[in-house]
Structure formats: structure tokens, C-alpha cells
């Protein structure tokens, strides 16, 4: 319970009392439970999105799915006080700096309190893509499972980012507290748990669950997770370590990618082949 409460205090703005003393061991246990935070946030957001769909009449029209999608993404931003988006903005500024300035200058830019043009553009486009992807998922009657799977996968990305021998980019801050604290066994269990919940959500989706939705949900988790692992590897090679800003950016970007995957309607080659044959 202490680890779960710590996870919520680290990843959300909920008014929960944190532990009196937070060390790396407790931080690692808390980050291993980050998908649980995603599950709770996803469920709350999904309920609000469904309520808006019912009260605003959203049966399959894209313009009517935009309001529930925008409100859902806004709830997620408010749940973290915008800290993940702030991390995304800082990372955008750091990556936007000229490479000749080097790693130290990029990290210095990321720690500045002001947000530059690259940061603003990063936040605008990521939020826009999240809203549009969720709106598209709602239009094709996959909104509930999509928001749940995307939010869980985004927090799972934070768990995986803290595994292994990940070094911190700074000697202080959130990155120094959580980098390399999650055990491999706990990370594997987290992946299995998220895939299981995603399959169950696809099977019991509000819009009519079935096996195909369950498979799609699990595939989205796997692809979103693969993206987050690749992004983590790139950031560590670029900055020689992990920071709290990078964790926030990884969460937001992984959520975006997972929503896009859930919104996509991929044609089945066999269906097209049969259609041409007819």
C-alpha cells in the first residue's frame, strides 16, 4: 500500500499523503506500480468520455466525438498538473538546441523554467495528435478501450524506463531517484499485467467487446511499449542518462503512439483479395 500510494504521489496530482522518507528502494517499488496508476486514471477518464458521448449524442460522427476526446485528454493533463507535458516541452527544447552545444548545454536548457518555441510546438502537436487519435477511435467505436490501453501503456513506459542499469543524467531530481530502480522481474510482471488487462478491456469494451478488440489492444500495448523502449534508448544515448523530464515525455509520447495504433483501421489483405475476386 505504501508503494502504491507513493506511485500516485509521484505520477499524479491527487491529494495523497506521501511517505515520510522516500528512498530508491521504495521509489523502485512505486515505479513498478506505475501501470496501476494508469489503470485508475484510464478508468476514470473512460467513464467521463462515455458520459459525454451519451449526453452529447456521439453515434459515429467525427465532429461529435471531438468534445469527449478533448475532455478526456484534458482530464489526463489535469491529473498530473501538466507535469508530463512540461517534461515533454523541456525535452523538446533540449533536443531542439543545436548539437554543437553538446549534452551539458541541452540539459541546462531543459532545466530552465521558461519554455521555448520547440517546447511549445512539441506540446501542441502531441496533444493535438492525442485528441484526434482518441476522436477517431471513438468514431469507430473503440474509444473506451483505447483510452484505457493508452494510459496504461504510457505509465508502463515509465516503469520500463527505470529498469536495468539506467544512469541518471543529473545527480539530483526525479531521474536520480528512480533511474535503474525497477527490477527486471517486476518489469516483466508489469508488462504481463498490462497485456492481460488490455485483453480483458477489449473483450468487455463498452462499444461491444470481442476477440478482435482484445487482440488489437494487446498489439497496441506491445507496439507502444516497443516505441517507448526505442525512445528511452535514444534519449539515454543522447543525454547519457535519464531525467524526470524525459520520463514525462516518454509517458506522453507513448500514450500518443498507442492511441494512434488503436485508432487505425488496417485493411485485411484477405478481405481485399476476396473483394477483387468477386
Amino acid at each position: 500500500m505504501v508503494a502504491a500510494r507513493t506511485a500516485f504521489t509521484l505520477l499524479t496530482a491527487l491529494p495523497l499523503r506521501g511517505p515520510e522518507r522516500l528512498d530508491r528502494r521504495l521509489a523502485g517499488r512505486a515505479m513498478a506500480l506505475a501501470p496501476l496508476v494508469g489503470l485508475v486514471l484510464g478508468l476514470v477518464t473512460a467513464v467521463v468520455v462515455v458520459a459525454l458521448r451519451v449526453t452529447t449524442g456521439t453515434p459515429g460522427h467525427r465532429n461529435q466525438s471531438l468534445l469527449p476526446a478533448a475532455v478526456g485528454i484534458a482530464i489526463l493533463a489535469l491529473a498530473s498538473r501538466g507535469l508530463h507535458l512540461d517534461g515533454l516541452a523541456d525535452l523538446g527544447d533540449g533536443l531542439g538546441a543545436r548539437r554543437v552545444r553538446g549534452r551539458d548545454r541541452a540539459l541546462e536548457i531543459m532545466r530552465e523554467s521558461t519554455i521555448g518555441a520547440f517546447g511549445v510546438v512539441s506540446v501542441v502537436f502531441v496533444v493535438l495528435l492525442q485528441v484526434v487519435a482518441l476522436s477517431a477511435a471513438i468514431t469507430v467505436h473503440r474509444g473506451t478501450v483505447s483510452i484505457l490501453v493508452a494510459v496504461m501503456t504510457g505509465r508502463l513506459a515509465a516503469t520500463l524506463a527505470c529498469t536495468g542499469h539506467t544512469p541518471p543524467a543529473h545527480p539530483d531530481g526525479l531521474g536520480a531517484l528512480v533511474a535503474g530502480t525497477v527490477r527486471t522481474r517486476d518489469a516483466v510482471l508489469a508488462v504481463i499485467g498490462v497485456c492481460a488487462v488490455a485483453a480483458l478491456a477489449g473483450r468487455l469494451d463498452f462499444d461491444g467487446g470481442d476477440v478482435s478488440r482484445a487482440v488489437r489492444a494487446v498489439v497496441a500495448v506491445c507496439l507502444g511499449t516497443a516505441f517507448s523502449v526505442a525512445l528511452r534508448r535514444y534519449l539515454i544515448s543522447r543525454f547519457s542518462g535519464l531525467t524526470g523530464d524525459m520520463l514525462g515525455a516518454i509517458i506522453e509520447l507513448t500514450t500518443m503512439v498507442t492511441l494512434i495504433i488503436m485508432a487505425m483501421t488496417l485493411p485485411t489483405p484477405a478481405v481485399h483479395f476476396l473483394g477483387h475476386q468477386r
Side-chain angles (χ1 to χ4, degrees), residues 5 8-9 11-17 37 40-41 78-81:
R5 192 170 69 246
F8 278 94
T9 58
L11 297 173
T12 72
L14 296 178
L16 297 175
R17 182 179 179 183
V37 178
V40 173
L41 293 179
L78 291 174
S80 65
R81 285 197 306 252

Side-chain angles (χ1 to χ4, degrees), residues 203-242:
R203 199 71 179 84
L204 304 176
D205 186 27
F206 172 79
D207 290 306
D210 52 32
V211 175
S212 64
R213 290 174 190 264
V215 172
R216 174 185 287 272
V218 174
V219 169
V221 171
C222 294
L223 293 179
T225 299
F227 167 81
S228 73
V229 171
L231 177 61
R232 166 187 174 270
R233 182 169 298 180
Y234 165 74
L235 293 176
I236 291 177
S237 66
R238 173 72 172 85
F239 296 102
S240 303
L242 189 70

Side-chain angles (χ1 to χ4, degrees), residues 86 90 109-115:
D86 180 68
D90 290 338
I109 291 174
M110 290 171 61
R111 301 193 76 173
E112 293 178 357
S113 58
T114 57
I115 298 178

